[in-house]
Amino acid sequence: FALIKKDKVRLTAALDLTALGFLIGQCVGRWGNFINREAFGAETDSFLRMGLMNKLGEVTYHHPTFLYESLWNLCGFVLLHFLSKKRRYDGQIALGYVAWYGLGRAMIEGLRTDSLWWGPFRVSQLLAAASCLAAVAVLVVMALRKPDPENLFVNVVAKREASALEAAEA
């Protein structure tokens, strides 16, 4: 945050930049769950099942939720990367990340067996769904406002630099 403040970068513009990195990091990071044999789902006979040997030497097959989430995050990265070229306001990609990740996590968390429960609800699933809904609500409100892409931080900086260059040449 010190660099953002020092260089006078809008926080929402910086969040847009980091959102894509978060998706790649989470895509790769989920494979740590595979290596640690954790965060897998319930038993299944799905073709995408993953075999795990228990303490008795028996193999049981489970949903590879790490794989589902890794692929979900990879798809989100590709989608948001292409949408980032058409963004209309700073923070739009970050909101897209929160909506995408929250939606995927809310669905995939339902398959896991190691969830933290708060009464009848999985805490992670509840938080993911709430964050997705909040991000979608803000995206809808912003779409209705029809923000001007000229106010994007990158466009403001480009104008400022062009003006400075013209002043220096004159």
Side-chain angles (χ1 to χ4, degrees), residues 3-157:
L3 187 60
I4 291 171
K5 191 172 181 178
K6 176 184 165 276
D7 291 343
K8 298 179 183 166
V9 176
R10 291 182 192 157
L11 178 61
T12 51
L15 290 174
D16 279 347
L17 186 62
T18 58
L20 295 176
F22 285 165
L23 280 170
I24 289 296
Q26 289 168 322
C27 179
V28 173
R30 279 294 162 197
W31 284 87
N33 296 132
F34 171 70
I35 292 167
N36 292 336
R37 296 171 28 107
E38 63 188 10
F40 50 84
E43 288 191 30
T44 185
D45 59 359
S46 166
F47 74 96
L48 283 176
R49 66 186 182 258
M50 157 178 98
L52 294 172
M53 189 176 301
N54 63 20
K55 294 176 184 175
L56 302 173
E58 302 165 337
V59 175
T60 55
Y61 295 96
H62 299 266
H63 281 286
T65 55
F66 75 91
L67 175 64
Y68 301 158
E69 196 164 340
S70 183
L71 292 174
W72 179 261
N73 290 332
L74 180 62
C75 290
F77 170 78
V78 171
L79 175 71
L80 290 177
H81 170 71
F82 286 110
L83 289 177
S84 70
K85 309 298 182 207
K86 298 179 185 335
R87 66 192 167 104
R88 300 189 54 81
Y89 56 91
D90 293 326
Q92 187 175 8
I93 300 304
L95 287 167
Y97 159 76
V98 172
W100 183 266
Y101 183 77
L103 178 64
R105 185 67 190 251
M107 292 185 304
I108 296 166
E109 187 69 24
L111 298 172
R112 288 182 51 178
T113 58
D114 61 345
S115 299
L116 174 64
W117 291 82
W118 182 38
F121 302 105
R122 287 180 163 105
V123 173
S124 296
Q125 198 170 28
L126 193 62
L127 183 60
S131 64
C132 176
L133 290 174
V136 168
V138 174
L139 284 166
V140 168
V141 167
M142 291 302 291
L144 294 173
R145 287 186 181 175
K146 299 185 184 347
D148 184 6
E150 290 299 314
N151 293 329
L152 280 167
F153 182 71
V154 67
N155 293 337
V156 170
V157 170

